[in-house]
Amino acid sequence: MLTVIGEALVDVVSRSGAEPRAHVGGSPMNVAVGLARLGQEVQFLGRYGQDDYGHQVVEHLRGNGVALPFEADARPTSVAQANLDEHGAATYDFQLDWSLDVDSARIDELLEDTSLLHVGSIGAMLEPGATVVGEAVKRAQRTALVSYDPNCRPTIIPDSSDARARAERIVALSHVVKASDEDLLWLYPHRSVEETARAWLKAGPRLVVVTRGGQGPWAVNRGTGSDGVSVPAAHVTVADTVGAGDSFMAALLSALADREILGASAATSLEELSADEVTELLLSAAAAAGVTVSRAGADLPTREDLPVTS
């Protein structure tokens, strides 16, 4: 079983001259759906309300085959207002309630059969839920592959020093870290994204990946050496960028699961990946992100949607 912990919300997407459209979203929730669409068995641990938006969240997750151990609560479902510019790039305004009313024994039970735990974004930084996420990471680290995507939201966590400290705590406990160049430049404005990725690799992870928009992703592990490896971004017509990073993350983790790089042996397996193998991982993840940006909203691909590779 793969487990994702984090926020679920509804993106109300607005574009000039068009009626707003509501899409179920939230970075960790998108990753859970992406993993399920790629054929992985996955459960999602997050909160949502008993309102209409909460019903949309439940229908979306269950409709995509994601297991939901938690019931809806009486508080409103979180909402993100996404405003798209003429190029399809999104900026966000959030109305959030991020908490997980669950005790440690229940978390232990849900993580017992977990071979991969993914966390990130608002769920790993905004209190009070961030504390629960951090404890779950500590519990899972020795028995599961732990992955992290900071997916920073400066409008929610505006203090970059606080965000940096929170990110570094989880980075140190993670095996795989994926971050965008925008995230890394906001967290560490005085050094290159590659320098930050190398510093994070020394802090604990066995593989660090940086997505760089149209420049394509870059990654570093022991097998690549300090120069790392990069691949080009997929060449597609961009509808919008909503969910692109989440699609990349889900495809990367699914590719690791396909290679049985999971569980207690994940750290060693990640270190042993060669530069060619890391390149293959990047190509598959970039292809998935390319499918998503060619569609409106966070519409992540299934295996059948992905290009066939030789």
Side-chain angles (χ1 to χ4, degrees):
M1 172 69 75
L2 313 185
T3 299
V4 179
I5 304 180
E7 73 275 7
L9 48 82
V10 172
D11 289 318
V12 181
V13 181
S14 299
R15 189 194 296 265
S16 178
E19 288 292 321
R21 298 178 60 185
H23 305 275
V24 176
S27 176
M29 194 223 65
N30 286 338
V31 173
V33 169
L35 285 166
R37 288 187 177 183
L38 293 170
Q40 307 297 337
E41 183 182 6
V42 58
Q43 63 179 349
F44 175 73
L45 312 185
R47 69 151 302 269
Y48 38 87
Q50 299 170 355
D51 49 22
D52 288 344
Y53 283 154
H55 294 323
Q56 288 183 37
V57 170
V58 171
E59 289 176 3
H60 183 64
L61 285 163
R62 288 183 175 159
N64 280 286
V66 177
L68 293 176
F70 295 161
E71 298 294 329
D73 59 45
R75 301 187 301 277
T77 302
S78 296
V79 176
Q81 178 70 49
N83 298 297
L84 303 181
D85 65 19
E86 65 272 20
H87 304 294
T91 57
Y92 293 89
D93 180 37
F94 295 89
Q95 296 86 50
L96 292 172
D97 181 336
W98 173 236
S99 56
L100 282 174
D101 298 329
V102 58
D103 60 28
S104 59
R106 178 62 169 148
I107 291 291
D108 287 344
E109 177 188 342
L110 291 168
L111 295 179
E112 185 175 359
D113 297 320
T114 290
S115 57
L116 181 152
L117 174 65
H118 174 71
V119 303
S121 197
I122 298 164
M125 288 197 179
L126 184 66
E127 296 294 355
T131 294
V132 179
V133 172
E135 290 301 317
V137 168
K138 291 177 185 177
R139 287 178 169 84
Q141 186 205 21
R142 293 180 178 85
T143 58
L145 167 66
V146 176
S147 64
Y148 174 54
D149 177 2
N151 201 358
C152 300
R153 301 297 188 189
T155 57
I156 298 170
I157 311 292
D159 183 345
S160 61
S161 297
D162 179 45
R164 184 165 55 249
R166 290 178 180 274
E168 288 176 350
R169 284 196 290 270
I170 297 186
V171 165
L173 296 170
S174 299
H175 302 105
V176 175
V177 176
K178 189 278 289 181
S180 71
D181 52 359
E182 292 179 348
D183 288 339
L184 296 184
L185 289 172
W186 182 66
L187 291 170
Y188 304 93
H190 302 302
R191 65 186 186 192
S192 72
V193 297
E194 292 82 7
E195 288 172 329
T196 294
R198 294 184 191 106
W200 277 8
L201 190 71
K202 293 178 181 178
R206 304 307 199 271
L207 175 67
V208 178
V209 180
V210 182
T211 55
R212 304 176 298 175
Q215 192 178 354
W218 177 89
V220 62
N221 79 333
R222 189 175 69 177
T224 68
S226 61
D227 289 340
V229 295
S230 63
V231 303
H235 294 289
V236 297
T237 299
V238 175
D240 64 52
T241 62
V242 178
D246 304 329
S247 182
F248 185 100
M249 186 85 249
L252 176 64
L253 296 178
S254 182
L256 291 173
D258 289 345
R259 290 162 172 78
E260 298 185 353
I261 301 178
L262 297 169
S265 64
T268 300
S269 299
L270 287 165
E271 283 188 333
E272 293 175 349
L273 287 171
S274 67
D276 287 344
E277 289 171 320
V278 174
T279 297
E280 290 176 6
L281 291 172
L282 294 183
L283 286 169
S284 64
V291 172
T292 299
V293 301
S294 71
R295 302 169 169 177
D299 186 2
L300 279 65
T302 65
R303 286 185 186 267
E304 290 73 24
D305 294 327
L306 297 177
V308 177
T309 57
S310 57

